[in-house]
Amino acid sequence: MINFVRRSDCHIIQFMDSKMLTVLILLSALATCLSVPRRCTPEEAAIGRCRTPAEESSQCMEMVLGYCQDVPYSHTTFPNIVGHRSRQDLEMGVEYLFLSMIHGLLNGECSPDIRLLGCSVLAPRCQDNRIMKPCRSSCEMVKKSCIHAFEAIQMAWPYFLDCDRFFVGNEEGCYDPLSELRENQEVAFASISDGGIFTIHQFTYHTNSQMFNILKKTAAKCSHISQTYSIGRSVEGKDLLVIEFSDNPGQHDLLEPEIKLIGNMHGNEVLGRQLLIYLAQYLCSEYLRGNERIQTIINTTRIHILPSMNPDGYEIAASEGHEYNGWISGRANAQNLDLNRNFPDLTSIFYNRHRFRHFRSDRIPIPESYWINKVVAPETYAVMKWIRSIPFVISASLHGGELVISYPFDFSRHPQQRRMYSPTPDEQIFRRLARTYAYAHPTMSNNDTERCGASFANKGGITNGAQWYSFAGGMSDFNYLHSNCYEITVELGCDKFPSEEELYPEWLRNKEALLSFMEFVHRGIKGIVKDEHGNGIKGATISVRGMRHDITTAKGGDYWRLLNPGVHIVTASASGYSKVSKRINLPRLQVGRVDFVLKKVPREPSLDYFNIPELDNYERFDPFNQYEQNSRGELGENGEERTEKPWWWAYFSQLGISAPTWLLQN
């Protein structure tokens, strides 16, 4: 009789009766011992050389999973890398469900990259009855470009896409699960390439998902001069995605001016959106080609491009198409708010207060009544925060419905007058800025050009906004009165939603105008305001005699002041410092460098807002915390913080499956 101990001790076999031992029993016992997997040594575990039982005894089978049919291999195996023991086990799991939903959850961003990466773990490649693990470098590349999309919807990076845990290095014989996707893209690019560095302009309309992907890929192609970032989300949760160009992306460089370009504020005015997508691609490719003009613009300017401020409205307009789109279908956001009437009406405050001697027409605070009485769209809120966070110098908002450049003020100085010339203190600067775009456009400034209803025959393609038609709560007026930024409105043509055949001709008509506009920022004067120790003074005021509109210095003490050529008296001042004035003679087509050094003096009461109550609270933004997401949740019965689940949680919880708590942040 043979007495066996535990299987882990198979090598200890005690023969109680050697006569009853047969060759068959001996072979059976030996087979039992050999079937026990060898345990990893600590050294093997430390370097990731352990192989699981599934890896030791994998049986390759044909790939039949619906969401993984386009992976660059045809056979997989189970158990998979994360432990699903069969195809049925996987298809019932929340990980596979996640792959089926990720395209919709992220509005098409990072698709199909995330899905293919997930398939490489959940349905791993099998070769010679052995699991092949995906490359860590592929995972890290996708995570770097897509993590922002997860963060934007408050979703954690999926546990099964842990680059360190489930992916391996090249030295361990990994494979790239995205190789076929990249090859197909390269073939498509090569078919329209001229053999060198090229710009891919698909002169068709792009969905929001396609727009996001184009901006991401453009930034990746020119990662040394470009990046994308989100300034917020729309009512329906779509990213307000900006692409930035600079020789130092992500950073404000001292004395380098910043500009912004915004399209699609009205969702049915779509040409500007497409032009800004093309402009981003053009800037990237021409910089790589060695185009000196483009390189100079990018190396000396920080450019921010927001192609779509109203992606929700665009989807409504695009669903109808250019042949059926009405004059207002999709114009408003998903709350049915006109975004260009949704900003604080600071122009009325300017008109009411300008009689005060010390009243300033710059950095006018947002009144508390705005937050109390107005429904503030999330798109408006995001753009206001953006304006306050970056020292923009000039801006253009691209619209449709006319062929003209409009400049502030847009709200009439007499509210009852619908069409009344209402200039800002910087009327001449605005006219020059508007003409820069209009004169570079082949037909906008031509008096013979057929217009869309309004008459600009004697205006050279430009107009004061309130003289055209008056409205309050506009974005351009807000830029001028709340910040240092000079914004114009570019009306690109009569047709708000032109046919796709018109996209290429419109790009040709507007390309030079867009470049000339960006170059205009290098006019006037710039400099740094410092104290006696060489430290920049933030918030110092730069005044020009005869102009009742000042600008303030940025964080490092640098400033930019648009001025027309001529002789000017410029004064720098700051609370607690002496004033310094300089007389300058500014030549044409040049930017002058004018620095100031201010000395400390006893602080005197400020007269800027003397007898003007409630106008000294510029730093107060969203004072009742209605719109900024509160980071603190409610407290539960035991005093613990109770956080509300994100909107996407319902998609999983309603299916009666194990809830993916691993997708919750923190």
Side-chain angles (χ1 to χ4, degrees):
M1 177 178 178
I2 300 178
N3 189 18
F4 290 93
V5 296
R6 296 188 310 272
R7 287 184 59 191
S8 60
D9 298 321
C10 282
H11 58 287
I12 305 175
I13 303 177
Q14 182 180 8
F15 295 97
M16 301 300 294
D17 189 349
S18 61
K19 292 182 179 180
M20 297 180 63
L21 184 63
T22 64
V23 174
L24 181 62
I25 295 175
L26 181 62
L27 292 175
S28 176
L30 181 62
T32 301
C33 292
L34 293 176
S35 68
V36 179
R38 180 179 64 83
R39 293 179 178 176
C40 292
T41 67
E43 291 77 13
E44 289 175 320
I47 62 174
R49 290 292 176 87
C50 291
R51 296 177 67 189
T52 66
E55 292 176 291
E56 296 284 356
S57 57
S58 298
Q59 292 294 320
C60 294
M61 62 184 70
E62 191 172 340
M63 173 70 74
V64 292
L65 292 164
Y67 289 108
C68 298
Q69 285 296 305
D70 52 347
V71 293
Y73 50 90
S74 58
H75 289 80
T76 186
T77 188
F78 290 97
N80 63 15
I81 296 176
V82 295
H84 296 102
R85 303 200 63 80
S86 66
R87 170 191 165 191
Q88 292 75 18
D89 188 17
L90 172 62
E91 290 180 330
M92 293 297 292
V94 69
E95 295 89 350
Y96 189 66
L97 175 65
F98 170 82
L99 292 188
S100 71
M101 301 171 65
I102 191 61
H103 179 89
L105 292 175
L106 299 183
N107 290 315
E109 284 194 73
C110 303
S111 182
D113 307 53
I114 291 288
R115 181 174 54 78
L116 293 177
L117 197 68
C119 286
S120 71
V121 174
L122 302 180
R125 179 178 179 178
C126 185
Q127 183 174 317
D128 298 329
N129 291 331
R130 180 174 176 270
I131 283 181
M132 300 288 292
K133 287 192 175 182
C135 291
R136 184 175 295 118
S137 58
S138 301
C139 177
E140 291 172 343
M141 179 186 67
V142 173
K143 184 175 181 180
K144 180 179 179 181
S145 61
C146 297
I147 188 65
H148 82 283
F150 285 82
E151 292 173 347
I153 62 171
Q154 298 178 293
M155 180 180 284
W157 186 253
Y159 84 92
F160 62 91
L161 296 184
D162 187 322
C163 301
D164 294 323
R165 185 176 174 190
F166 299 115
F167 297 78
V168 297
N170 295 329
E171 69 278 1
E172 298 174 69
C174 67
Y175 77 98
D176 181 6
L178 306 179
S179 58
E180 195 168 283
L181 175 66
R182 292 198 189 97
E183 289 173 3
N184 292 338
Q185 290 174 341
E186 290 173 1
V187 170
F189 291 171
S191 66
I192 56 175
S193 172
D194 58 3
I197 300 168
F198 56 94
T199 302
I200 302 169
H201 283 339
Q202 294 180 332
F203 290 98
T204 59
Y205 286 112
H206 298 98
T207 65
N208 287 321
S209 298
Q210 290 169 337
M211 176 184 68
F212 295 147
N213 286 334
I214 289 173
L215 297 180
K216 289 284 183 186
K217 290 175 181 177
T218 300
K221 179 181 176 183
C222 290
S223 58
H224 59 303
I225 58 164
S226 182
Q227 69 165 8
T228 57
Y229 64 91
S230 175
I231 62 170
R233 296 182 80 82
S234 68
V235 175
E236 296 181 349
K238 300 178 184 66
D239 255 328
L240 302 179
L241 194 65
V242 175
I243 185 168
E244 170 198 339
F245 289 91
S246 168
D247 60 351
N248 186 16
Q251 299 292 328
H252 170 69
D253 287 340
L254 204 64
L255 291 174
E256 184 171 278
E258 311 221 15
I259 68 176
K260 58 183 168 70
L261 301 168
I262 299 176
N264 205 202
M265 185 183 198
H266 292 142
N268 62 334
E269 297 171 12
V270 300
L271 179 57
R273 167 188 168 114
Q274 292 301 130
L275 293 181
L276 294 183
I277 294 173
Y278 305 150
L279 177 64
Q281 294 175 291
Y282 178 80
L283 291 176
C284 171
S285 289
E286 290 302 303
Y287 191 99
L288 296 179
R289 281 181 184 272
N291 184 320
E292 292 185 4
R293 182 186 186 189
I294 301 303
Q295 289 181 340
T296 299
I297 291 175
I298 292 176
N299 290 339
T300 60
T301 319
R302 191 177 178 207
I303 305 160
H304 306 257
I305 300 173
L306 174 62
S308 183
M309 183 178 167
N310 187 3
D312 298 344
Y314 173 79
E315 285 194 345
I316 296 174
S319 67
E320 296 187 5
H322 77 95
E323 293 181 353
Y324 303 100
N325 185 262
W327 194 251
I328 60 172
S329 297
R331 174 185 175 92
N333 76 341
Q335 296 168 300
N336 199 31
L337 295 173
D338 187 327
L339 298 180
N340 208 27
R341 310 293 188 273
N342 195 236
F343 285 81
D345 176 17
L346 305 184
T347 323
S348 293
I349 296 176
F350 169 78
Y351 292 143
N352 291 335
R353 307 288 187 175
H354 78 280
R355 66 181 181 275
F356 289 94
R357 178 182 177 186
H358 293 286
F359 179 73
R360 290 164 51 181
S361 66
D362 57 282
R363 292 174 63 85
I364 297 178
I366 300 171
E368 289 189 358
S369 59
Y370 171 76
W371 305 106
I372 297 172
N373 301 326
K374 194 97 168 178
V375 177
V376 182
E379 298 90 346
T380 307
Y381 184 87
V383 170
M384 286 195 295
K385 285 193 67 176
W386 191 34
I387 292 169
R388 289 168 60 93
S389 65
I390 295 176
F392 294 115
V393 181
I394 61 173
S395 173
S397 178
L398 276 56
H399 290 249
E402 248 303 344
L403 186 63
V404 70
I405 304 295
S406 170
Y407 59 87
F409 287 126
D410 284 323
F411 189 42
S412 171
R413 52 184 168 170
H414 291 295
Q416 294 79 13
Q417 296 291 328
R418 293 283 299 163
R419 302 174 185 271
M420 183 177 188
Y421 175 61
S422 305
T424 68
D426 281 289
E427 167 72 4
Q428 296 306 315
I429 298 293
F430 271 117
R431 290 178 63 86
R432 192 163 172 233
L433 181 60
R435 286 184 181 130
T436 297
Y437 196 105
Y439 287 5
H441 189 285
T443 59
M444 188 176 289
S445 62
N446 189 337
N447 291 338
D448 297 329
T449 300
E450 183 178 347
R451 302 290 170 174
C452 319
S455 176
F456 303 107
N458 299 319
K459 298 180 182 294
I462 69 172
T463 184
N464 172 258
Q467 192 171 21
W468 181 14
Y469 66 93
S470 173
F471 65 91
M475 184 167 66
S476 293
D477 284 10
F478 175 80
N479 270 274
Y480 180 70
L481 293 174
H482 191 67
S483 74
N484 292 336
C485 188
Y486 294 66
E487 182 174 275
I488 60 172
T489 300
V490 180
E491 299 283 348
L492 293 164
C494 306
D495 196 344
K496 294 188 174 188
F497 203 133
S499 65
E500 289 186 336
E501 290 75 16
E502 286 298 312
L503 294 180
Y504 178 61
E506 287 292 350
W507 164 246
L508 295 181
R509 280 191 280 268
N510 287 276
K511 180 180 72 173
E512 176 59 33
L514 288 166
L515 297 179
S516 297
F517 175 81
M518 290 190 289
E519 291 171 326
F520 184 88
V521 76
H522 297 282
R523 305 284 177 88
I525 60 174
K526 65 179 180 180
I528 305 175
V529 180
K530 301 179 181 179
D531 61 21
E532 295 174 284
H533 304 290
N535 301 312
I537 302 175
K538 177 185 177 182
T541 299
I542 303 296
S543 307
V544 180
R545 183 178 295 177
M547 303 180 70
R548 292 190 65 183
H549 185 82
D550 303 336
I551 59 116
T552 54
T553 56
K555 184 177 181 179
D558 49 342
Y559 75 90
W560 306 262
R561 204 336 172 167
L562 298 180
L563 285 175
N564 285 329
V567 177
H568 302 279
I569 305 298
V570 183
T571 300
S573 61
S575 179
Y577 293 88
S578 61
K579 289 185 178 181
V580 175
S581 297
K582 294 186 177 182
R583 183 179 185 274
I584 64 167
N585 189 352
L586 185 64
R588 292 178 58 85
L589 305 178
Q590 290 187 24
V591 60
R593 175 75 182 268
V594 184
D595 295 332
F596 295 90
V597 176
L598 306 185
K599 296 180 179 180
K600 279 276 191 180
V601 296
R603 187 182 298 270
E604 297 179 359
S606 173
L607 296 179
D608 286 346
Y609 291 100
F610 184 67
N611 286 334
I612 307 178
E614 299 181 359
L615 285 182
D616 57 351
N617 55 349
Y618 181 86
E619 297 303 327
R620 296 191 68 189
F621 184 75
D622 189 10
F624 308 108
N625 201 27
Q626 294 172 284
Y627 300 95
E628 185 70 60
Q629 194 167 28
N630 195 344
S631 59
R632 289 183 56 86
E634 297 179 3
L635 296 182
E637 295 179 0
N638 298 323
E640 76 279 4
E641 187 173 313
R642 180 193 302 150
T643 56
E644 190 173 331
K645 295 292 192 297
W647 59 267
W648 48 263
W649 183 256
Y651 288 100
F652 296 98
S653 60
Q654 293 174 359
L655 295 175
I657 60 175
S658 177
T661 54
W662 40 268
L663 283 176
L664 294 174
Q665 291 182 336
N666 301 323

